[in-house]
Amino acid sequence: MIEIKGLKKSFGTHEVLKGIDLTIQDKEVVVIIGPSGSGKSTCARLAARLWDVSSGRVSVGGVDVSTVEPESLLADFSVVFQDVTLFDDTVMENIRLGKRGATDEEVLAAARAANCDEFVSRMPEGYGTMIGENGARLSGGERQRISIARALLKGAPVVLLDEATASLDVENETKVQEALSRLLAGKTVIVIAHRMRTVMNADKVVVLDDGRVAEQGHPAELMKRDGLFARMVRLQRESAEWTL
């Protein structure tokens, strides 16, 4: 279980989070939404101690994350953000970063689960192909599938997902969504949402507004309340892209 109490975060004189209280149960899918600048990504990064809090407390499994070395804490987290970091190495070695010492068989199994075979099979040297600096030879969807393969290989119990499909075309989005469904099965998941289909399938939605929790609950419950969440849904239904 992840517990966030009185969480505040400032950057210089700008206070981004102004006192967040949130509990995420084991194997619960929690989606965080809100207007741009509301603190969505900041909240998720603080949960994994990618950044340190200004005040308040984040605990994972009853342990205050400020007492745990960041590298040790991250062993329990898989992170899939929109900005994927890749290295000028082979496809195989870029995936293996998810689990140092993983066998080739383990890497290939994760790659298949992440739908990587489809594009790697077209490469001149398959999984031994060099991908260029930061994956310059790959498309956005291919980069995301390598990132998901890493996370599958790692097998951490908590997944932080800054939804990876927001900027993809329909074909790539479908392949990435299939890979994500395998990654998220049975995990505790925190999603920074950009597409409404993710929101509507969540166990709980947390709506941030100006650094505070404006609403939280099951999406159907929030729709009945007809508050900020319901207004955001209506606005997105009028948009062809259905993004948040």
Side-chain angles (χ1 to χ4, degrees), residues 198-213:
T198 305
V199 175
M200 304 313 281
N201 291 330
D203 296 313
K204 179 162 62 183
V205 175
V206 179
V207 185
L208 297 187
D209 188 26
D210 192 28
R212 295 184 173 88
V213 176

Side-chain angles (χ1 to χ4, degrees), residues 10-231:
S10 297
F11 296 96
T13 60
H14 178 50
E15 190 175 38
V16 177
L17 297 180
K18 303 174 181 179
I20 301 292
D21 294 314
L22 174 63
T23 299
I24 300 169
Q25 301 293 338
D26 291 343
K27 299 184 180 181
E28 187 174 42
V29 177
V30 174
V31 176
I32 302 175
I33 67 169
S36 178
S38 60
K40 303 185 295 293
S41 294
T42 301
C43 191
R45 283 163 171 78
L46 291 170
R49 206 186 170 190
L50 297 176
W51 296 334
D52 282 325
V53 306
S54 298
S55 66
R57 184 176 187 268
V58 178
S59 63
V60 177
V63 179
D64 188 334
V65 300
S66 67
T67 67
V68 182
E69 287 296 322
E71 189 172 336
S72 297
L73 181 65
L74 280 174
D76 289 332
F77 286 81
S78 290
V79 178
V80 182
F81 289 158
Q82 289 187 54
D83 296 326
V84 182
T85 300
L86 299 175
F87 298 94
D88 189 10
D89 205 334
T90 64
V91 176
M92 178 80 79
E93 293 309 314
N94 268 279
I95 295 173
R96 205 190 309 270
L97 288 172
K99 180 183 175 183
R100 298 286 187 180
T103 65
D104 287 355
E105 290 75 16
E106 288 174 320
V107 173
L108 292 173
R112 285 191 292 271
N115 287 347
C116 291
D117 272 356
E118 180 266 340
F119 69 87
V120 174
S121 65
R122 300 194 300 266
M123 293 180 162
E125 297 177 62
Y127 283 93
T129 303
M130 301 290 288
I131 62 173
E133 188 66 35
N134 208 24
R137 297 174 187 167
L138 303 176
S139 71
E142 291 164 355
R143 289 161 51 85
Q144 290 293 355
R145 279 180 270 172
I146 286 179
S147 179
I148 293 166
R150 278 181 187 166
L152 283 162
L153 182 62
K154 187 174 185 179
V158 184
V159 178
L160 295 184
L161 179 65
D162 191 345
E163 194 177 0
T165 63
S167 60
L168 301 181
D169 59 40
V170 173
E171 181 179 359
N172 267 307
E173 181 190 348
T174 299
K175 293 183 173 70
V176 170
Q177 288 285 6
E178 289 172 355
L180 285 172
S181 68
R182 299 184 185 105
L183 171 64
L184 304 183
K187 303 293 177 64
T188 302
V189 184
I190 303 173
V191 183
I192 308 303
H194 299 273
R195 294 188 183 272
M196 267 305 188
R197 76 184 97 193
T198 305
V199 175
M200 304 313 281
N201 291 330
D203 296 313
K204 179 162 62 183
V205 175
V206 179
V207 185
L208 297 187
D209 188 26
D210 192 28
R212 295 184 173 88
V213 176
E215 296 178 305
Q216 63 176 298
H218 189 274
E221 173 192 336
L222 294 183
M223 286 299 295
K224 290 179 181 177
R225 290 184 194 173
D226 200 27
L228 178 58
F229 175 75
R231 291 197 296 275

